[in-house]
Amino acid sequence: MTGALLANAGPVSAQQQDILFLSTQLRPIEEAQKVRSVILKDFPGKVTYLVEEPPAFDVRMKAEGQAGKRTISVAGALHGELQPLVTSGDLTPIDDIATKLADRGIPANLMELGKLGTSSQMYIPWMQATYIMVANKKALPYLPAGADINALTYDQLEAWGKALTEKTGKRLIGFPAGPKGLMPRFYQGYLYPSFTGGVVTPFQSADAEAMWGKFKGLWQFVNPNSTSYDFMQEPLLAEEVWVAFDHVARVKDALTQAPEEFVTFPAPAGPKGRGYMPVIAGLAVPKNAPNPTGAAELIAFISKPETQVKTAAEVGFFPVVKATLPADLSPGIKLIAEGVAKTQNAKDALPALLPVGLGDKGGEFNKVYSDTFQRIVLRGEDIKTVLASQAGVLKGLMEATKAPCWAPDAPSQGACPVK
Amino acid sequence: MTLRSRLLPYLLLAPSVAFLAALFLVPLVQTISLSFMEDGTPSLANYSRMVSDINFGPAVRNTFLLVLTVVPIQIVMALAMAMMLQKLPRGRDVALWIWTIPLGISDLAAGLVWLAILQDRGYLNSALYGLGLIDGPTAWLTYETPVALFLGVVVAEVWRATAIVLVILVAGLQLIPKEYKEAAEVFGARPWTIFTRITLPLLKPSLQTALILRTVLAFEVFAVVYAIGGTNFPVLVGEAYNWQRNYQNTGVAAAYAMLIVVISLAATVVFLWALRTKPEQQP
Amino acid sequence: MIALRRTVYIAGIVALCAWVLVPIYFIALGAFGGRIGVFRWPKSIWPGDTSLAAMQLFLQVEGVGQAMVNSVIAAAITMALSIALGAPAGYALARFTFPGQNAYRLLILLTRAFPLAILALPLTVAFIRIGLYDTAFGVALIHTALALPFAALVSASLFQAIPRELEEAAWVFGCTRLQAFMKVVLPLALPGIAATAIFAFVISWNEVFAASVLTVRNRTLTAYLLTVLAESPLHFRFAGGFLLIVPSIVFIFAVRKYLFAMWGIANR
């Protein structure tokens, strides 16, 4: 195995010029091993690939900065996880690397995201993913008449869930609403955009009221274990649920284990379109990184088309550069690729960006949506009252961060308004 | 008393005080000031946010319910186990070894163990199914079954953390002079009388230690609770972790931390007072 | 009548052993049951098609050996430090009445009552500055802070239970306080202190959060496994969980003599 001797690596000597690559992505043991033994295998230098959960990542990056002793040379994390590091001054602008990689064909809007609201490049897009729906083929006969699985509406999903519950006696739709689940992204990227055409501005609009009423209706057919699910792959494999929504990386195991049992398709559409949220992971260089040259070389290597294709084939995250996926992808990865393509190419697709400009308030922003869900759907509180009180919290957050609106909300001067 | 012997206890305490001051008091003071700050000015904003949060009420309620249920069960169980051990003619070391195994099991591993048993397709449901009590996989750990969920958490906590009480009590029991018991037996005291009149009172220092440590730790545990209960069973420390790690709001997290410290200290003071041993009562 | 009581008594002991062991057996089944075993319904309580795949993958992971060495070093330092600092404090609490006694008890409990996550950031910064970051010694310092309250309180209750008269008798025979302590008190307290040391070891062995925040490459085993474990598929988590339980079973077995030795004095 090349490089990547995690705990084995001794103290770094100046000659070795080891590159410490700390990532919040590709953490599970199999994925991390693939990064070390396949994806980074041909990199000419010495890389140590380390993984860390986002909170510990944040603590470490900030602590190293405050103490002025940096060990990490490359940081790989989600857009939203890198943003707080801009606020705390722990990232260094990498416009020079961006210029060198200009010919890689990274879409301009992705590069723009990489500026994290500043005027210079703070990260280089690394890989992308999104959320899809997965269904067990056993659920397909219960689809409501005339429904196209690749162009479902929320009404049809509810009817589907109802039919499943009535015929099997079980609640077979699942959502990842557990403590580590990614459910807030469902509200921000899927539910709200589809019903209200926005995320922040129409938070307590009449559309939003109707939406929560609908979602409450749908929830009758959702497995009550959902509030413990962090990853949907296990309940899918266990057939605790037959229809599930989650991040591609979190259903991948089910799809690669039993590709013949599942189909993938886009999330449903509401009156305003089919909301979906592209997920971007980026590579950044910390301020005072011990090996900036090595970092630049590593980033250039990772954004090579070959490496990007390898990443897709091995771990199911898709290229950010111009690259063609090989035809001989494994069946599970192929299912993911299909689901992603159907989502992106849907006629009514309505892309909803990741929150921009919230700094380290991203977690509290998520909490507004989770709490609203908890109160309305699980505790049965009055929709209007809940929306009014949570809108107050949301307003406070937006004003404190002065974050302008992001798509699909209409652009704003100054802090994004909550109507 | 000479000056030297009056100073001795302080000399004995000094190293540990210095150590804890360096590692805990300094960061603690930082945290206290953090909890009373909002944008650099003193304020109670963090506390009011904490109290008005939707999980605050349930977290307080759940934490107290859990501590009040788990700690007494553990004390009674550990006492019973310790007394049983004392009478065991053979195989004491094997029994003690097995009973203290959970001592070495981490939160996360314990949470996993009980998840494997209590989940829909777990061993509990398999057994119930085998007995014909349920028709198929049944969910016990959801927001719709709060009582079963609570019992699940209690069982897991009792399994995981009774051993520590046991060891403290066993260590205390063995120091009770045999003569007291023998004397009581000579006067014809029944085993129960010996237990309540001699063993329990003499065990007071150990019971106090066990109660304080267990209570303080019970207020702190959350990994097991999260493994089993997900978001359905908020507890105070879990909320502190959430505010710190997920919402990145150190101020509110610090407020929660202060609340936990105050509650733990209050419990400690109560135990110190209720189970105090006067010097003249010492054996 | 006596036979019946005896049967109930033995049954009770056996039931309590099963209460501890059966859950561990179940996680072992999960660990060796492979990916498919996790989802089988209804589950059999007998080992079915076992697979070593998940276990093997864990054992192949680079650095597990080194991480285990780090864990042992950190735990051993923790053990030594918490006894060295805690036992004298325990003796002082047990033998003297002095102003500030209860304040001290509160202080040490305060440290235990304080959620570790909140302390992580200030401590990490300090550790990087003084060069303790990413060392087993640094981890051991934090773990000592966690184990010290146990060491002090448990040894206090130990010393308290050792009759004062024994010590006073030694003074009468011309021993100094130190000699009396060494010759009379210490031998009596030693098994209990050994048990306290075991606590300290176990606390360090199982602690995850501080260990993973304070190290980059010199990870302890638990910190190392748990970061990869937390979000792995279930059968991996069972394998990892089992792997974490095994050392504690072995360790407590290895030191059971000390645990058992606590009974030695009772039969004096």
Side-chain angles (χ1 to χ4, degrees):
Chain A
M1 230 146 265
T2 327
L5 291 170
L6 192 55
N8 261 340
V12 203
S13 74
Q15 303 92 350
Q16 266 180 308
Q17 285 295 312
D18 190 0
I19 305 163
L20 255 62
F21 177 9
L22 182 69
S23 160
T24 62
Q25 301 300 295
L26 307 178
R27 280 191 308 253
I29 186 161
E30 290 169 299
E31 271 86 350
Q33 286 291 71
K34 278 179 179 155
V35 172
R36 295 176 187 129
S37 56
V38 183
I39 299 172
L40 297 181
K41 197 181 86 184
D42 298 327
F43 181 68
K46 188 170 182 309
V47 191
T48 302
Y49 180 71
L50 304 165
V51 295
E52 196 69 272
E53 281 192 51
F57 170 83
D58 192 71
V59 168
R60 166 161 311 154
M61 293 297 289
K62 286 178 181 166
E64 287 193 0
Q66 283 181 26
K69 281 186 195 162
R70 195 60 82 177
T71 59
I72 310 296
S73 289
V74 177
L78 292 184
H79 175 90
E81 292 158 0
L82 290 169
Q83 193 155 45
L85 301 178
V86 172
T87 326
S88 65
D90 282 297
L91 296 184
T92 199
I94 43 175
D95 295 298
D96 48 335
I97 303 181
T99 324
K100 267 188 226 152
L101 300 179
D103 60 340
R104 292 280 157 83
I106 301 174
N109 61 342
L110 290 190
M111 284 306 265
E112 186 59 35
L113 275 180
K115 293 187 174 171
L116 287 169
T118 67
S119 56
S120 28
Q121 199 72 34
M122 300 310 287
Y123 72 78
I124 303 289
W126 172 12
M127 50 190 192
Q128 58 177 332
T130 187
Y131 298 77
I132 55 171
M133 298 213 45
V134 177
N136 193 306
K137 283 184 182 158
K138 286 182 198 159
L140 298 182
Y142 303 98
L143 265 175
D148 171 7
I149 193 168
N150 293 318
L152 279 186
T153 65
Y154 278 95
D155 288 327
Q156 287 168 335
L157 180 64
E158 186 178 336
W160 193 9
K162 189 164 184 243
L164 285 169
T165 303
E166 280 167 1
K167 299 285 162 43
T168 65
K170 288 181 261 182
R171 287 172 279 181
L172 290 170
I173 299 180
F175 285 97
K180 288 187 173 174
L182 295 174
M183 194 65 178
R185 296 295 183 231
F186 173 74
Y187 312 125
Q188 296 154 10
Y190 294 81
L191 202 57
Y192 257 102
S194 302
F195 279 89
T196 68
V199 184
V200 174
T201 310
F203 183 81
Q204 55 171 340
S205 59
D207 284 342
E209 270 175 54
M211 170 194 91
W212 283 112
K214 267 230 116 46
F215 193 59
K216 202 174 164 182
L218 171 63
W219 198 263
Q220 302 168 59
F221 312 113
V222 170
N223 190 315
N225 277 330
S226 287
T227 48
S228 300
Y229 293 151
D230 295 332
F231 287 57
M232 292 314 297
Q233 53 202 14
E234 274 138 16
L236 278 169
L237 279 172
E239 299 193 15
E240 258 177 55
V241 302
W242 281 0
V243 179
F245 166 92
D246 209 344
H247 189 283
V248 289
R250 295 178 168 214
V251 289
K252 189 186 125 245
D253 229 48
L255 298 175
T256 49
Q257 284 311 300
E260 66 292 341
E261 279 180 31
F262 297 107
V263 293
T264 55
F265 54 99
K272 297 281 162 67
R274 193 177 301 276
Y276 88 95
M277 185 180 267
V279 176
I280 311 293
L283 298 167
V285 179
K287 191 162 275 174
N288 306 323
N291 189 351
T293 336
E297 283 164 13
L298 183 62
I299 293 174
F301 177 81
I302 292 174
S303 53
K304 273 189 191 169
E306 307 91 272
T307 323
Q308 294 261 310
V309 167
K310 238 186 225 173
T311 308
E314 295 291 336
V315 294
F317 273 82
F318 293 93
V320 288
V321 304
K322 241 191 224 134
T324 333
L325 291 178
D328 61 342
L329 280 176
S330 77
I333 303 286
K334 213 178 255 172
L335 274 175
I336 295 179
E338 280 169 26
V340 173
K342 282 188 251 176
T343 300
Q344 287 172 338
N345 304 331
K347 274 192 214 109
D348 47 357
L350 176 64
L353 292 188
L354 286 156
V356 189
L358 290 178
D360 56 7
K361 296 281 184 220
E364 285 189 60
F365 180 74
N366 289 346
K367 187 174 163 55
V368 170
Y369 292 85
S370 303
D371 284 358
T372 308
F373 162 75
Q374 284 261 349
R375 292 176 64 179
I376 293 176
V377 178
L378 299 185
R379 299 187 189 177
E381 290 182 43
D382 177 59
I383 298 180
K384 233 187 162 103
T385 325
V386 172
L387 286 180
S389 85
Q390 292 292 325
V393 181
L394 184 60
K395 207 173 208 159
L397 271 178
M398 301 318 288
E399 276 160 11
T401 57
K402 301 196 179 57
C405 293
W406 58 87
D409 276 316
S412 66
Q413 295 292 324
C416 192
V418 183
K419 289 250 168 71
Chain B
M1 211 188 261
T2 65
L3 179 68
R4 223 181 119 215
S5 68
R6 246 182 299 154
L7 279 179
L8 187 59
Y10 297 102
L11 286 175
L12 290 170
L13 294 181
S16 58
V17 172
F19 182 86
L20 289 175
L23 273 157
F24 262 101
L25 280 190
V26 175
L28 177 64
V29 170
Q30 290 176 341
T31 308
I32 294 174
S33 74
L34 208 59
S35 79
F36 288 105
M37 286 290 203
E38 172 85 5
D39 298 328
T41 50
S43 105
L44 287 174
N46 291 320
Y47 287 90
S48 71
R49 282 204 72 177
M50 168 178 85
V51 174
S52 61
D53 187 69
I54 66 158
N55 282 335
F56 179 75
V60 171
R61 198 192 60 219
N62 290 339
T63 308
F64 273 92
L65 267 179
L66 199 59
V67 173
L68 290 177
T69 316
V70 168
V71 175
I73 293 180
Q74 288 180 322
I75 297 285
V76 172
M77 247 180 100
L79 255 180
M81 287 160 99
M83 299 308 289
M84 281 165 98
L85 271 183
Q86 226 177 11
K87 287 198 187 128
L88 199 62
R90 270 174 305 139
R92 264 189 208 169
D93 54 347
V94 175
L96 189 58
W97 168 50
I98 291 174
W99 292 355
T100 45
I101 284 175
L103 257 188
I105 295 177
S106 65
D107 288 13
L108 185 105
L112 282 173
V113 167
W114 284 94
L115 191 64
I117 295 171
L118 299 175
Q119 66 181 353
D120 290 22
R121 287 164 183 255
Y123 292 96
L124 174 69
N125 277 342
S126 297
L128 293 177
Y129 179 75
L131 294 171
L133 293 174
I134 54 171
D135 304 328
T138 311
W140 298 114
L141 305 175
T142 74
Y143 56 90
E144 291 174 347
T145 53
V147 178
L149 171 63
F150 177 71
L151 291 179
V153 174
V154 167
V155 167
E157 268 296 283
V158 169
W159 181 79
R160 189 187 69 87
T162 302
I164 189 166
V165 184
L166 176 68
V167 175
I168 294 173
L169 293 188
V170 165
L173 265 183
Q174 55 95 10
L175 287 160
I176 296 175
K178 260 188 150 180
E179 293 75 21
Y180 290 13
K181 217 174 103 181
E182 285 162 4
E185 274 164 357
V186 169
F187 290 110
R190 302 174 60 85
W192 179 250
T193 319
I194 296 179
F195 176 71
T196 51
R197 292 292 174 81
I198 296 177
T199 313
L200 268 189
L202 288 176
L203 206 54
K204 227 155 74 174
S206 298
L207 273 174
Q208 189 190 51
T209 308
L211 268 171
I212 292 175
L213 279 180
R214 250 328 284 161
T215 308
V216 165
L217 290 185
F219 276 116
E220 260 225 56
V221 156
F222 85 108
V224 175
V225 175
Y226 266 33
I228 294 171
T231 51
N232 303 323
F233 199 82
V235 288
L236 284 176
V237 175
E239 289 306 303
Y241 272 69
N242 275 339
W243 280 95
Q244 169 89 359
R245 301 177 66 173
N246 298 337
Y247 317 141
Q248 302 192 342
N249 187 327
T250 323
V252 180
Y256 266 106
M258 293 320 299
L259 178 69
I260 294 158
V261 170
V262 168
I263 294 175
S264 303
L265 281 184
T268 307
V269 170
V270 169
F271 288 132
L272 282 178
W273 176 80
L275 292 171
R276 66 193 179 284
T277 321
K278 297 190 190 83
E280 63 272 18
Q281 283 175 350
Q282 281 175 8
Chain C
M1 183 60 197
I2 289 175
L4 179 72
R5 268 173 72 171
R6 208 178 146 65
T7 317
V8 170
Y9 172 63
I10 297 295
I13 301 247
V14 172
L16 283 167
C17 289
W19 153 251
V20 172
L21 291 179
V22 169
I24 295 177
Y25 171 70
F26 284 149
I27 202 173
L29 282 187
F32 293 105
R35 215 180 272 269
I36 309 302
V38 172
F39 307 119
R40 181 160 298 131
W41 170 262
K43 286 198 170 39
S44 160
I45 58 163
W46 309 114
D49 43 350
T50 49
S51 119
L52 291 174
M55 274 300 177
Q56 269 168 353
L57 193 82
F58 259 115
L59 296 174
Q60 281 165 10
V61 174
E62 302 148 3
V64 166
Q66 184 59 42
M68 188 160 315
V69 172
N70 288 333
S71 266
V72 172
I73 296 176
I77 300 175
T78 305
M79 200 161 94
L81 270 180
S82 51
I83 294 299
L85 296 171
Y91 183 77
L93 289 179
R95 278 294 183 266
F96 298 93
T97 318
F98 54 95
Q101 192 165 18
N102 281 334
Y104 178 81
R105 279 180 189 261
L106 288 181
L107 165 78
I108 54 178
L109 281 161
L110 189 81
T111 62
R112 208 55 193 87
F114 202 78
L116 194 57
I118 316 289
L119 292 177
L121 187 60
L123 281 178
T124 311
V125 174
F127 273 33
I128 294 178
R129 287 220 175 105
I130 52 181
L132 285 173
Y133 184 60
D134 203 17
T135 62
F137 184 68
V139 173
L141 282 184
I142 298 284
H143 290 174
T144 304
L146 294 180
L148 191 52
F150 285 82
L153 288 184
V154 175
S155 55
S157 66
L158 275 171
F159 289 128
Q160 208 159 24
I162 293 173
R164 212 176 254 270
E165 293 78 18
L166 289 179
E167 215 173 338
E168 281 162 4
W171 300 346
V172 171
F173 288 114
C175 287
T176 63
R177 206 175 242 285
L178 182 67
Q179 283 170 329
F181 178 80
M182 297 300 281
K183 289 191 181 154
V184 178
V185 180
L186 199 59
L188 286 176
L190 213 48
I193 290 182
T196 317
I198 293 162
F199 277 161
F201 191 96
V202 165
I203 287 171
S204 166
W205 179 270
N206 280 330
E207 200 285 326
V208 185
F209 190 80
S212 57
V213 173
L214 290 174
T215 53
V216 200
R217 282 181 287 184
N218 294 315
R219 279 280 153 94
T220 62
L221 183 67
T222 359
Y224 183 40
L225 281 186
L226 291 189
T227 23
V228 289
L229 216 63
E231 293 178 343
S232 297
L234 261 182
H235 67 290
F236 272 135
R237 284 196 265 164
F238 288 148
F242 183 66
L243 215 63
L244 290 174
I245 291 176
V246 171
S248 88
I249 296 179
V250 174
F251 182 73
I252 291 181
F253 182 74
V255 299
R256 76 191 185 290
K257 250 196 220 141
Y258 292 98
L259 286 174
F260 185 61
M262 295 192 293
W263 289 91
I265 316 168
N267 300 324
R268 68 180 179 261

